[in-house]
């Protein structure tokens, strides 16, 4: 089955700096890659997603890039703010409506 | 418009017991997926229901079963509970006709003693 690896497991940045989280996947048939943000004690929230026919997608301070050949995708957060502190999960799926295979998460801490 | 809701919020059971968790999808969604999230881990896919049928299943034993009702709500049943079943159980709903992005409920925290 699909195996999603996520790095780093923890990331600490200063407010205003950029943060990058990287994921790799094993199933070449995967074509949907969402990112979720989970604050302590809360539900995972979809923050951005990308499909395999697109190489990059941006939404304000958040961007995701996808390299299908290398089977990796990354989340980029610019101008980080303390409220960006949370656990971020990447996931991969053969179809957006089907099983999501999650990475183990990255705990991001943004210090003022 | 209510988002995905789950009940109960917390549950404590003892080994060997059975438990039923409930999920109501977001309005307009017809597909429900269940995930198990152990502490400090990413969610793991249990199964998905669409049109009242189990459409896809992850690597979980038969002790885990489910159901989807005509109003698209869903139940997750776990029999013969083990200590290792202690986790946050998340339900996610999606629409087969509108993008299929999965939106999560707040989860049910199950503790097995």
């Amino acid at each position: 089955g699909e195996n999603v690896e996520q790095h780093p497991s923890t990331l600490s940045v200063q407010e205003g700096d950029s943060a990058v989280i990287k994921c790799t996947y094993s199933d070449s048939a995967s074509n949907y890659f969402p990112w979720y943000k989970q604050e302590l004690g809360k539900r995972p929230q979809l923050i951005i997603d990308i499909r395999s026919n697109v190489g990059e997608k941006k939404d304000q301070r958040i961007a995701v890039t996808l390299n299908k050949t290398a089977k990796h995708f990354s989340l980029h957060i610019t101008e980080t703010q303390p409220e960006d502190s949370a656990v971020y999960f990447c996931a991969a799926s053969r179809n957006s409506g089907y099983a999501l295979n999650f990475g183990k998460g990255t705990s991001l801490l943004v210090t003022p | 418009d209510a988002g995905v809701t789950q009940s109960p919020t917390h549950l404590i059971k003892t080994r060997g017991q059975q438990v039923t968790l409930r999920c109501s999808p977001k309005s307009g969604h017809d597909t429900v997926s269940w995930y198990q999230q152990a502490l400090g881990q990413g969610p793991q896919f249990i199964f998905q229901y669409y049109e009242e049928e189990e459409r896809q299943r992850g690597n979980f034993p038969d002790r885990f079963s489910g159901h989807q009702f005509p109003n698209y709500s869903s139940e997750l049943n776990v029999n013969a509970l083990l200590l290792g079943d202690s986790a946050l159980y998340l339900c996610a709903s999606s629409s087969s006709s509108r993008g299929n992005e999965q939106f999560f409920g707040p989860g049910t925290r199950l503790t097995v003693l």
Side-chain angles (χ1 to χ4, degrees):
Chain A
E2 174 71 278
N3 181 41
V4 177
E5 305 244 347
Q6 183 172 348
H7 299 280
S9 56
T10 61
L11 181 58
S12 184
V13 300
Q14 292 263 319
E15 183 177 1
D17 287 349
S18 294
V20 180
I21 303 170
K22 299 181 178 182
C23 289
T24 60
Y25 62 98
S26 60
D27 185 357
S28 56
S30 289
N31 61 13
Y32 175 65
F33 308 91
W35 287 86
Y36 286 84
K37 174 184 179 182
Q38 188 174 29
E39 296 176 52
L40 193 62
K42 298 201 173 174
R43 71 187 77 191
Q45 286 194 298
L46 178 67
I47 56 172
I48 196 166
D49 58 12
I50 192 167
R51 298 171 198 269
S52 62
N53 58 344
V54 175
E56 183 173 357
K57 184 176 177 180
K58 193 172 182 180
D59 182 5
Q60 299 183 337
R61 297 186 297 109
I62 294 173
V64 58
T65 59
L66 170 65
N67 183 328
K68 279 223 80 177
T69 304
K71 293 188 199 157
H72 67 70
F73 55 113
S74 301
L75 177 72
H76 304 252
I77 307 174
T78 58
E79 301 170 25
T80 54
Q81 300 165 4
E83 50 265 40
D84 293 330
S85 297
V87 179
Y88 290 80
F89 293 98
C90 64
S93 174
R94 290 191 169 194
N95 181 298
S96 59
Y98 285 76
L100 294 175
N101 298 284
F102 284 85
K104 291 190 175 181
T106 295
S107 179
L108 173 64
L109 177 65
V110 180
T111 53
Chain B
D1 172 30
V4 183
T5 60
Q6 291 185 243
S7 63
T9 307
H10 297 88
L11 206 48
I12 299 175
K13 293 285 188 178
T14 55
R15 278 179 297 174
Q17 285 190 309
Q18 178 263 343
V19 69
T20 297
L21 310 182
R22 295 177 176 83
C23 172
S24 290
K26 186 176 164 66
S27 177
H29 285 189
D30 56 6
T31 305
V32 174
S33 304
W34 287 92
Y35 294 82
Q36 180 194 67
Q37 186 177 25
L39 206 59
Q41 300 293 316
Q44 278 200 294
F45 176 74
I46 303 174
F47 44 54
Q48 183 183 83
Y49 278 85
Y50 172 68
E51 293 187 338
E52 301 179 52
E53 301 261 337
E54 183 184 287
R55 178 162 71 175
Q56 198 177 6
R57 188 179 182 92
N59 189 24
F60 277 79
D62 291 345
R63 297 187 298 108
F64 289 77
S65 63
H67 189 77
Q68 185 179 36
F69 298 93
N71 66 353
Y72 308 118
S73 67
S74 176
E75 287 183 349
L76 163 66
N77 301 293
V78 187
N79 294 323
L81 285 167
L82 304 173
L83 296 179
D85 294 332
S86 295
L88 180 68
Y89 288 84
L90 293 161
C91 157
S93 74
S94 56
S95 166
S96 61
S97 61
R98 280 186 272 152
N100 271 322
E101 292 86 357
Q102 295 187 33
F103 295 89
F104 283 87
T108 293
R109 172 71 63 188
L110 172 65
T111 302
V112 182
L113 302 176

